[in-house]
Amino acid sequence: MGLGVERLGDVVVVVPEGMLKGGKESDELKDAWWKLADDGQKKILLDLAKTSYMSSMPFGLLASVHPSAVSHDVQLCLCSVNERIQKVWGSVLNLVNPPLELYETREAALQALSRR
């Protein structure tokens, strides 16, 4: 798995590529999120356009990272989640408290984040 990071204004877009099965790639993703938060980044967008598969481990990671991010005033949202991932994990995403914001496209997510 590759992990791209782009800065677009005050938003950092994290783009994992390939399959997120757990293990090393989940650790890379978690480390990238916490480094961004530790560096003072307040808006993080996880763009899953290049992610073909996600196992339960990355979703558990999202479920644990998101509430902590919110408590540190970090906005974390997702975009471009493919249909396969949505079918498997869509209901789980709704259980994360507070709910994760999910956008159909990167553009929609960036627009929403720019209004904050």
Side-chain angles (χ1 to χ4, degrees):
M1 179 199 87
L3 187 66
V5 178
E6 304 173 49
R7 291 193 181 273
L8 300 173
D10 62 347
V11 178
V12 172
V13 182
V14 178
V15 185
E17 297 181 26
M19 298 197 305
L20 289 172
K21 297 186 273 184
K24 181 183 175 192
E25 67 275 359
S26 292
D27 290 341
E28 287 177 36
L29 190 56
K30 179 177 70 173
D31 292 346
W33 285 335
W34 287 119
K35 181 177 181 342
L36 291 167
D38 287 345
D39 289 347
Q41 182 61 44
K42 295 296 185 183
K43 297 178 183 180
I44 302 172
L45 173 59
L46 180 60
D47 184 343
L48 298 179
K50 297 180 180 180
T51 303
S52 58
Y53 171 83
M54 283 182 86
S55 73
S56 61
M57 185 177 275
F59 276 101
L61 176 63
L62 280 173
S64 66
V65 167
H66 181 60
S68 181
V70 169
S71 72
H72 288 91
D73 202 27
V74 175
Q75 297 172 44
L76 172 63
C77 59
L78 281 73
C79 72
S80 306
V81 180
N82 73 36
E83 186 177 324
R84 179 180 177 189
I85 293 172
Q86 282 189 30
K87 279 184 181 178
V88 174
W89 298 108
S91 60
V92 174
L93 288 173
N94 294 328
L95 297 176
V96 175
N97 191 11
L100 267 163
E101 293 180 47
L102 181 62
Y103 297 92
E104 192 170 321
T105 65
R106 179 188 284 206
E107 293 76 22
L110 290 170
Q111 262 187 341
L113 288 168
S114 72
R115 291 189 294 260
R116 300 179 191 163

